[in-house]
Amino acid sequence: MPTPKILFPILTSQMSLITLIIFFLLLSSSHASSSPSRPPFKRIYAFGDSYTDTGNTKTSTGPTAFNYVSNPPYGVTFFHHPTNRYSDGRIVLDFVAEALSLPFVPPYRNPRADRSHGVNFAVAGATAIRHGFFSKHNITFNLVPQSLQTQLAWFDKILESEGCKDSHTTPRECEAVLGDALIWVGEIGANDYTSSLGSSLSRKTIQALAINSVAGFLQAIMNKGAKYIVVQGLPSIGCITYSFSLAAGDDDRDATGCVATVNRLTWAHNAALEARLTALRKRNPNSVILYADYYNAHLELLRNAAAYGFKERYKACCGYGGGAYNFDFFNVCGTPSATSCADPSSYINWDGAHFTEEVYKLMARSFLNGSHCSPPFHYLIARKVQSSA
């Protein structure tokens, strides 16, 4: 097994990973004419749930179980105040933007934000499956009304404002908006499973509908002209703090000490997602679709926690109750009764459901350096540089 230093290399402050990639690409290609310091993308459009949300959700609009994101100590590490990110600081998308020499991606629901470098449509609590499906089956707990289809509708509004209808009807307008855009699809689907717990809906039904929704979404944006796409899988949900609280007993554990049945479910979901991405690549050869393996990147951190400087693998930094997990659904992070640890960077889990900034930083590096991205991210950069030559 490679050492952690190889899997998650530390970027220097003088030169980002992406700059290095472009530099070597330019050395090896006599046809490339771009400057090494020129960012490969001009904008990022992002989608997903709370793992990618940079402010579309506030305390008054968030999911039932985690609806105090506007309260301290959220944001304490980097921004030093809550920014409606579900972390103590930056998340994966923020580190991706930094690596690409772009500003942080603003939330769609902030109409005053500068959208010239992209927009983030991700919503905490969002599902892959349409909200109406859950309402039809009387499932309402922890659900927000927004789904991946809502985010697509918002995206369409942005494109239409630039004159882009689809790549066939308005090719020039769509190329102007999407030709230099990275599409980042953060994890989506975890809320579909957790919200349907205790219902009559089978996990296979949820999986099929969720994967169909993501595949349909991806085909829709490629029909618009999206060419450079990264799709994150689900993390190992059985290793997330709240899963231990929902587990029936301590017997349901895998080799990592996580909830085995939940991790098997997550693995199956990701396998189905990867299979659909393979089919989409064949159908859309002009687009580059990368799979960011959140599941194994997460497990890598857990299995080598001490090597990365983590003292707590499963215990929430911000929560209530102490004990092995410091988590209580009725006293979550941001409530008056919750408290926060002194050093979030030594914890993997932040609030019982989401990660600390330190983890998100390492996750972003693992996706961008190729160790947990397929094809590697540098392949996407190479395709982009070649198309611009």
Side-chain angles (χ1 to χ4, degrees):
M1 178 181 292
T3 64
K5 188 173 293 185
I6 294 175
L7 285 172
F8 299 110
I10 297 175
L11 308 184
T12 66
S13 58
Q14 290 79 21
M15 185 175 289
S16 72
L17 171 68
I18 304 304
T19 303
L20 283 170
I21 291 173
I22 297 176
F23 178 74
F24 289 116
L25 283 172
L26 293 175
L27 285 178
S28 62
S29 174
S30 60
H31 301 290
S33 59
S34 304
S35 167
S37 61
R38 177 186 174 186
F41 297 101
K42 294 181 179 179
R43 59 188 65 87
I44 300 173
Y45 293 112
F47 307 83
D49 60 17
S50 55
Y51 280 64
T52 309
D53 191 347
T54 56
N56 282 313
T57 306
K58 299 180 180 179
T59 287
S60 59
T61 62
T64 304
F66 294 91
N67 61 344
Y68 296 91
V69 68
S70 302
N71 297 352
Y74 282 100
V76 64
T77 295
F78 181 80
F79 301 99
H80 307 300
H81 62 85
T83 62
N84 297 314
R85 286 168 170 81
Y86 283 83
S87 179
D88 59 306
R90 291 163 291 183
I91 60 175
V92 167
L93 182 64
D94 296 319
F95 290 108
V96 170
E98 287 182 345
L100 291 169
S101 300
L102 293 173
F104 293 147
V105 188
Y108 174 79
R109 282 174 162 171
N110 180 2
R112 297 189 299 270
D114 179 2
R115 295 177 172 178
S116 59
H117 295 288
V119 184
N120 185 5
F121 305 94
V123 178
T127 53
I129 305 169
R130 292 180 183 273
H131 180 263
F133 170 81
F134 294 101
S135 297
K136 180 180 177 181
H137 289 84
N138 298 316
I139 299 172
T140 58
F141 175 73
N142 210 40
L143 280 182
V144 298
Q146 291 81 27
S147 67
L148 190 56
Q149 287 71 33
T150 307
Q151 297 175 38
L152 178 60
W154 290 348
F155 186 42
D156 285 343
K157 289 182 179 180
I158 295 293
L159 296 180
E160 289 169 6
S161 70
E162 299 290 336
C164 170
K165 294 182 178 180
D166 60 68
S167 59
H168 297 291
T169 307
T170 55
R172 184 175 300 177
E173 290 80 358
C174 290
E175 174 65 21
V177 183
L178 296 171
D180 290 315
L182 173 65
I183 306 296
W184 191 274
V185 184
E187 71 115 52
I188 189 83
N191 293 312
D192 300 69
Y193 291 105
T194 56
S195 298
S196 60
L197 286 173
S199 73
S200 60
L201 296 170
S202 71
R203 298 299 177 87
K204 288 186 177 181
T205 296
I206 295 297
Q207 176 186 299
L209 292 174
I211 297 298
N212 285 342
S213 177
V214 173
F217 164 83
L218 292 171
Q219 188 59 63
I221 64 174
M222 285 188 284
N223 290 343
K224 298 287 185 179
K227 296 179 180 178
Y228 310 103
I229 306 168
V230 177
V231 181
Q232 289 182 198
L234 301 182
S236 49
I237 299 174
C239 302
I240 295 176
T241 308
Y242 74 78
S243 291
F244 295 103
S245 299
L246 296 172
D250 294 335
D251 295 335
D252 185 18
R253 296 291 184 268
D254 59 19
T256 313
C258 304
V259 182
T261 54
V262 177
N263 269 355
R264 284 197 295 269
L265 170 73
T266 311
W267 184 91
H269 176 97
N270 288 337
L273 175 61
E274 284 194 86
R276 291 299 288 274
L277 294 184
T278 298
L280 285 168
R281 290 187 189 106
K282 293 178 180 178
R283 194 182 309 154
N284 302 273
N286 293 326
S287 294
V288 182
I289 307 173
L290 272 54
Y291 173 69
D293 187 358
Y294 218 141
Y295 185 92
N296 283 304
H298 183 199
L299 285 182
E300 179 65 32
L301 286 185
L302 289 167
R303 291 167 179 165
N304 299 278
Y308 294 114
F310 295 112
K311 297 178 180 178
E312 295 288 350
R313 297 195 302 167
Y314 305 122
K315 188 175 185 178
C317 168
C318 182
Y320 176 83
Y325 306 119
N326 191 40
F327 178 72
D328 183 345
F329 271 113
F330 301 101
N331 297 278
V332 294
C333 186
T335 60
S337 54
T339 58
S340 177
C341 66
D343 181 15
S345 67
S346 65
Y347 282 64
I348 287 180
N349 196 281
W350 164 244
D351 61 1
H354 309 94
F355 300 128
T356 58
E357 177 184 271
E358 186 65 20
V359 170
Y360 285 128
K361 177 169 62 179
L362 293 172
M363 291 291 182
R365 289 175 181 172
S366 76
F367 299 151
L368 297 179
N369 75 13
S371 59
H372 286 105
C373 203
S374 179
F377 195 78
H378 64 74
Y379 171 75
L380 181 146
I381 296 294
R383 286 282 297 270
K384 177 64 176 67
V385 171
Q386 290 167 5
S387 70
S388 302

